[in-house]
Amino acid sequence: MFPSSFNQPKFCPTPAWNPFGITFTNETILGQYPFALFINTNNTIYTVNQEKKQILMWNNNSINPNKIVNVNFEESLSIFVTNNGDIYYDSGDSNGRVDKLISNTNSSVNVMNVDSECSGLFIDINDTLYCSMIFDHKIVKRWLNDSEMITTTVAGTGFSGYASNELSYPRGIFVDLNFDLYVADCDNNRIQLFKSGELNGITIVGRGSSNDIISLFCPSGIVLDADKNLFSVDQWNHRIIRSGSNHIQCIIGCSGQGSQSNQLSLPITLSFDIYGNIFILDHSNQRI
């Protein structure tokens, strides 16, 4: 098994974040309408410039990217980086493809073939790659050490629906140490939990959940902290929601859509740095 390559901070029982954000980077560097963001345990920040077809990397608290790699994709919706520095990215190919940029090279290899763009990518501690097939309404996985390029469906039926075994335009995904799968089920306005090996999901936040005090409107990104508190990007409500077994609250973007430092506009995903700061891909404001 492999240790996690991303940050899952442990917080006090009632953490708080400054509601006013600092712009880390903007359209000048990111290009228009960015999608992907990842921060690893070395605090290296990764994102994608769609227009220039580049993967951008910042480390050592740099203001500008320390490294820029040109890659071949149509549109990359998601990115995941492993501990050895390999970068997995959705190629947005019309045939559906996930490629791996090999660490410290400019060479990419194909690692998964799917029939849809991957709106979320994740690699678990067993080296299994998951793809959230947004237009096929399902999540598939592939063990990366398998010599054959075989994928298995782990959630969803391939048809849009609201039943416990169905998804509708799934977006961000997260797999915990128990191999339980969390899915931002965008069009159903809910977060689904699929226990390892189960094809029927449990609604833990949003429409149909017991925790429906706060409604979601197309959740697009999800991250768990060390205590399994869930941080959801509530995209069309332009905010970040934190929830646990007995609490749910808005923590960022709670005053509505906008471009001020305390506002978001169609955020897509978030990532923690090693200090527990939250970085948000603020899509329509074209900034992180």
Side-chain angles (χ1 to χ4, degrees), residues 82 88 111-112 123 126-129 142-147:
T82 51
Y88 294 75
V111 292
M112 181 184 270
I123 298 173
N126 254 359
D127 221 16
T128 299
L129 171 65
R142 179 197 165 224
W143 188 46
L144 289 169
N145 298 319
D146 193 337
S147 57

Side-chain angles (χ1 to χ4, degrees), residues 14-64:
T14 55
W17 287 262
N18 190 332
F20 294 90
I22 300 160
T23 299
F24 170 73
T25 190
N26 60 23
E27 183 186 353
T28 307
I29 302 291
L30 289 176
Q32 290 193 321
Y33 303 111
F35 286 97
L37 173 67
F38 190 92
I39 303 176
N40 72 5
T41 50
N42 293 326
N43 247 22
T44 302
I45 299 164
Y46 301 80
T47 189
V48 175
N49 184 311
Q50 303 285 349
E51 296 169 295
K52 295 182 179 178
K53 302 189 186 308
Q54 295 173 331
I55 294 175
L56 314 177
M57 296 164 240
W58 290 257
N59 54 35
N60 301 320
N61 299 312
S62 173
I63 294 171
N64 293 310

Side-chain angles (χ1 to χ4, degrees), residues 43-174:
N43 247 22
T44 302
I45 299 164
Y46 301 80
T47 189
V48 175
N49 184 311
Q50 303 285 349
E51 296 169 295
K52 295 182 179 178
K53 302 189 186 308
Q54 295 173 331
I55 294 175
L56 314 177
M57 296 164 240
W58 290 257
N59 54 35
N60 301 320
N61 299 312
S62 173
I63 294 171
N64 293 310
N66 303 82
K67 187 174 181 181
I68 297 173
V69 180
N70 294 301
V71 286
N72 181 33
F73 57 75
E74 286 182 16
E75 178 182 65
S76 189
L77 301 183
S78 52
I79 189 170
F80 193 98
V81 184
T82 51
N83 283 315
N84 66 353
D86 289 343
I87 302 171
Y88 294 75
Y89 59 95
D90 161 56
S91 285
D93 191 279
S94 53
N95 296 318
R97 200 177 81 236
V98 179
D99 289 342
K100 175 178 76 172
L101 178 65
I102 300 168
S103 180
N104 296 317
T105 74
N106 292 330
S107 301
S108 293
V109 294
N110 177 221
V111 292
M112 181 184 270
N113 293 312
V114 287
D115 299 323
S116 164
E117 293 180 87
C118 295
S119 55
L121 289 175
F122 199 93
I123 298 173
D124 69 19
I125 56 171
N126 254 359
D127 221 16
T128 299
L129 171 65
Y130 297 73
C131 160
S132 179
M133 296 174 65
I134 181 170
F135 299 119
D136 278 31
H137 315 290
K138 63 183 179 179
I139 314 300
V140 298
K141 70 177 182 179
R142 179 197 165 224
W143 188 46
L144 289 169
N145 298 319
D146 193 337
S147 57
E148 295 189 39
M149 199 90 72
I150 298 171
T151 58
T152 307
T153 299
V154 290
T157 62
F159 297 95
S160 174
Y162 179 65
S164 62
N165 67 331
E166 293 176 314
L167 299 166
S168 186
Y169 299 96
R171 303 281 295 277
I173 50 177
F174 190 97

Side-chain angles (χ1 to χ4, degrees), residues 131-228:
C131 160
S132 179
M133 296 174 65
I134 181 170
F135 299 119
D136 278 31
H137 315 290
K138 63 183 179 179
I139 314 300
V140 298
K141 70 177 182 179
R142 179 197 165 224
W143 188 46
L144 289 169
N145 298 319
D146 193 337
S147 57
E148 295 189 39
M149 199 90 72
I150 298 171
T151 58
T152 307
T153 299
V154 290
T157 62
F159 297 95
S160 174
Y162 179 65
S164 62
N165 67 331
E166 293 176 314
L167 299 166
S168 186
Y169 299 96
R171 303 281 295 277
I173 50 177
F174 190 97
V175 182
D176 68 15
L177 299 179
N178 299 319
F179 307 105
D180 295 338
L181 168 67
Y182 297 76
V183 182
D185 191 9
C186 166
D187 220 38
N188 285 324
N189 301 318
R190 64 187 183 181
I191 306 295
Q192 291 293 88
L193 165 60
F194 293 86
K195 294 282 190 178
S196 180
E198 295 289 328
L199 291 175
N200 287 299
I202 304 161
T203 304
I204 54 172
V205 183
R207 177 185 170 201
S209 76
S210 58
N211 212 358
D212 201 10
I213 306 160
I214 292 180
S215 296
L216 302 180
F217 189 5
C218 185
S220 57
I222 40 176
V223 177
L224 266 64
D225 70 11
D227 294 311
K228 288 199 170 183

